[in-house]
Amino acid sequence: MSRFLDIPADAECLRLAAAGDREAQSLLYGQVAGPVFGLIRRMVTPRAAAEDVFQDCMVSLLRSLPGYRGEAPFGAWVRQLALRQCLMHLRSPWQRARRALATVTAGSDAAAGPL
């Protein structure tokens, strides 16, 4: 968690990134990508799904950036955004159906026994 608190929050970079400056957005991406992907990877185990959640999180970060008021540390705000994306993914009906199917499939494989 301390990696999120180590994310530098340069007010000018945040302002430019919120305004759509691609260089500032790239710099911001470089600062947050590691901690965000690490958190997502711990919560969403399949790598392909984690990469999808990461991409959604980065898009959400850039869209939500103009709403960042600076009342909390920037790293804490980013962490909350990443957690929200993970939880939305894990709670989705598609994920519930996938887990239910995996349980049913595992149960039928065990009942079939060795060939």
Side-chain angles (χ1 to χ4, degrees):
M1 184 166 101
S2 65
R3 290 187 58 195
F4 280 97
L5 297 179
D6 296 337
I7 296 173
D10 177 27
E12 182 65 16
C13 179
L14 293 176
R15 186 187 65 75
L16 289 171
D21 181 4
R22 294 292 184 186
E23 276 188 46
Q25 289 175 346
S26 177
L27 179 64
L28 189 63
Y29 177 88
Q31 293 170 344
V32 302
V36 168
F37 189 70
L39 174 68
I40 292 171
R41 193 71 172 101
R42 286 189 300 273
M43 293 186 71
V44 180
T45 48
R47 184 166 182 92
E51 289 171 355
D52 288 344
V53 172
F54 174 73
Q55 182 177 354
D56 292 342
C57 185
M58 289 293 106
V59 169
S60 178
L61 172 80
L62 293 176
R63 285 187 180 155
S64 302
L65 199 54
Y68 174 66
R69 297 182 305 244
E71 295 172 355
F74 180 68
W77 183 76
V78 171
R79 183 176 184 272
Q80 283 303 112
L81 202 99
L83 282 171
R84 195 174 309 123
Q85 286 296 133
C86 288
L87 292 175
M88 284 182 1
H89 170 78
L90 294 171
R91 291 176 184 155
S92 75
W94 291 104
Q95 292 306 311
R96 287 185 191 152
R98 185 188 60 78
R99 285 191 299 270
L101 181 62
T103 303
V104 169
T105 304
S108 66
D109 289 346
L115 296 176

